[in-house]
Amino acid sequence: MKFEQLKEIYELPFFELIHKAHEVHVANWPEKEIQLCTLLSIKTGGCSEDCSYCSQSSRYKTDIEREPLMELDAVMESATAARDNGSTRFCMGAAWKGVRKGTKQFDDVLEIVRNVAGLGMEVCTTLGELGAEEAKQLKEAGVTAYNHNLDTSREHYPNIVTSHTYDDRLNTIRNVQDAGMSVCCGGILGLGETSDDRLKMLEVISEFNPQPESVPINSLMPMPGTPLAESSSVDIFDVVRMIAVTRIACPKAKVRLSAGRSNMSEEGQTMCFYAGSNSIFYGEKLLTTVNPAIKKDLKLIEKLGINPLKPNPEMDAPGQECDKELSPCCK
Ligand code: SAM
Ligand code: DTB
Ligand code: SF4
């Protein structure tokens, strides 16, 4: 969807916007289900990149202890616990600029993926930049979806990250699509961007061909020691508006209410679910920061009459009809 149209929708009176989004949501997702996803940081800290929101960048003095790639057994223990707690998607994150085929680290990750894939959950990884061959090997090992966020608009990106470019991000997304994995791509609210920046990011994401399978909407968790440590919190009404416009622009995507839920009231989260969010990160920890308690989340979704989504490990990546003129990820 183009920026002008997104802006028109975004600026609707609040009730009109969430009503419209809810209608799109019910038409596309009539089952009243929510996907529960568990995150695990399999390699923490010491990242070469300078993303100014991130506690794991080695450029900033943060409280995060650097940890090497986790052993297979420890990852399997977490993944099994996640499945037993009702998660249907297990997302493994690594603080790397990217991965390279033929290295021991990448081979170890492939082995981890092969094992986790046997547990019957969707397997998602987020390891940074991927080349075409790395993407192919991840797909073959059993990765269903790859998370790689654009985070903000092309214009605002250099204010937030200078060690890689927006086009680097788009290239990785192209490689993920070409390898036949589903794309999980979204952003962060609260990086000092304007609402136009948020909508420009959504323009790019919603114009992917095919559209992403999931769109995570994170609210900045200000991390001590990072350049954005003192940022003010995002207004919940802005989060709801962004969820609503994302639901309308990407009707078939899972819209994941991601980082930042621990700072939101249950009523605020409920507005997000009404406006079209149908997925959350579930479990007391995100990568390095806190998330609401499992019991609290289960109680809330029960109160709302929503059911946890059943697993779909066979999930196929959406078919590709890539038109280089239309699809910004191809440029
Ligand atoms: N290194 C990989 C990459 O950059 O794609 C994967 C890990 S990275 C931590 C994954 C995503 O987490 C980022 O793109 C960003 O959207 C989100 N994220 C990281 N730190 C965050 C924070 N402090 N608050 C909110 N979201 C954050
Ligand atoms: C995404 O969009 N959000 C998740 C996941 N993809 C990898 C990460 C959130 C990280 C929040 C900050 C932290 O825990 O370090
Ligand atoms: Fe953090 Fe990923 Fe940026 Fe590294 S590349 S600093 S892990 S967001």
Side-chain angles (χ1 to χ4, degrees):
M1 210 177 251
K2 293 295 177 197
F3 172 76
E4 288 71 25
Q5 204 182 347
L6 292 168
K7 193 166 162 99
E8 212 173 284
I9 297 170
Y10 186 85
E11 286 175 351
L12 284 170
F14 188 76
F15 285 135
E16 219 175 298
L17 172 61
I18 61 172
H19 177 68
K20 206 179 167 76
H22 190 69
E23 279 184 342
V24 172
H25 186 58
V26 173
N28 289 278
W29 300 90
E31 303 86 0
K32 295 200 190 72
E33 287 177 333
I34 188 160
Q35 186 184 37
L36 306 179
C37 312
T38 296
L39 260 178
L40 177 68
S41 181
I42 58 170
K43 187 267 167 181
T44 306
C47 182
S48 62
E49 302 307 280
D50 68 355
C51 311
S52 49
Y53 50 79
C54 188
S55 60
Q56 304 198 69
S57 165
S58 61
R59 318 262 183 133
Y60 315 124
K61 212 171 161 338
T62 70
D63 302 335
I64 301 304
E65 293 281 338
R66 197 178 166 153
E67 287 165 33
L69 182 62
M70 283 175 72
E71 296 290 337
L72 173 62
D73 286 355
V75 177
M76 288 305 284
E77 202 178 303
S78 291
T80 309
R83 185 193 58 182
D84 295 347
N85 272 325
S87 277
T88 60
R89 181 154 164 149
F90 192 67
C91 180
M92 293 174 276
W96 281 321
K97 176 184 174 67
V99 288
R100 193 153 319 129
K101 66 172 177 173
T103 58
K104 163 133 178 48
Q105 297 247 315
F106 189 50
D107 287 344
D108 288 350
V109 170
L110 293 172
E111 189 56 15
I112 289 173
V113 168
R114 279 183 212 107
N115 281 271
V116 174
L119 293 176
M121 293 178 285
E122 294 169 17
V123 182
C124 174
T125 53
T126 178
L127 315 168
E129 255 172 55
L130 290 186
E133 185 55 31
E134 287 79 6
K136 200 166 147 258
Q137 291 185 11
L138 283 171
K139 164 75 183 168
E140 278 165 12
V143 168
T144 16
Y146 196 82
N147 167 242
H148 204 64
N149 291 339
L150 287 180
D151 284 329
T152 189
S153 67
R154 179 184 281 281
E155 291 80 356
H156 192 48
Y157 201 71
N159 302 325
I160 303 301
V161 182
T162 65
S163 51
H164 56 258
T165 66
Y166 213 65
D167 285 318
D168 292 333
R169 302 294 284 182
L170 291 170
N171 281 337
T172 292
I173 292 165
R174 180 76 260 158
N175 289 331
V176 169
Q177 289 182 325
D178 287 347
M181 287 181 282
S182 289
V183 169
C184 169
C185 179
I188 315 183
L189 311 184
L191 305 176
E193 75 284 359
T194 62
S195 54
D196 279 7
D197 286 309
R198 294 172 186 168
L199 299 176
K200 283 180 189 165
M201 173 187 81
L202 187 56
E203 176 182 38
V204 177
I205 290 174
S206 65
E207 294 272 317
F208 285 169
N209 184 0
Q211 285 198 331
E213 173 266 337
S214 50
V215 182
I217 303 294
N218 296 277
S219 298
L220 177 72
M221 306 280 285
M223 305 305 290
T226 64
L228 293 174
E230 303 305 325
S231 303
S232 42
S233 63
V234 184
D235 185 339
I236 185 68
F237 288 91
D238 288 353
V239 182
V240 178
R241 275 188 185 275
M242 190 63 190
I243 297 273
V245 70
T246 304
R247 168 52 64 220
I248 293 167
C250 303
K252 303 248 178 250
K254 299 222 183 59
V255 178
R256 189 165 303 118
L257 182 59
S258 301
R261 280 197 309 117
S262 55
N263 298 326
M264 291 175 195
S265 69
E266 295 200 335
E267 293 84 349
Q269 294 179 58
T270 299
M271 283 201 291
C272 293
F273 299 140
Y274 181 81
S277 169
N278 57 352
S279 175
I280 54 172
F281 284 119
Y282 168 73
E284 266 112 80
K285 204 169 170 202
L286 291 166
L287 291 174
T288 67
T289 59
V290 289
N291 204 36
I294 286 185
K295 272 194 188 153
K296 211 170 168 226
D297 277 342
L298 289 178
K299 223 166 146 185
L300 175 60
I301 63 175
E302 191 189 345
K303 246 193 273 185
L304 301 177
I306 313 175
N307 297 312
L309 180 75
K310 311 251 169 347
N312 180 18
E314 306 305 318
M315 180 177 81
D316 263 346
Q320 309 216 0
E321 297 152 29
C322 188
D323 179 331
K324 289 199 190 300
E325 285 309 304
L326 293 174
S327 180
C329 60
C330 300
K331 286 182 186 161

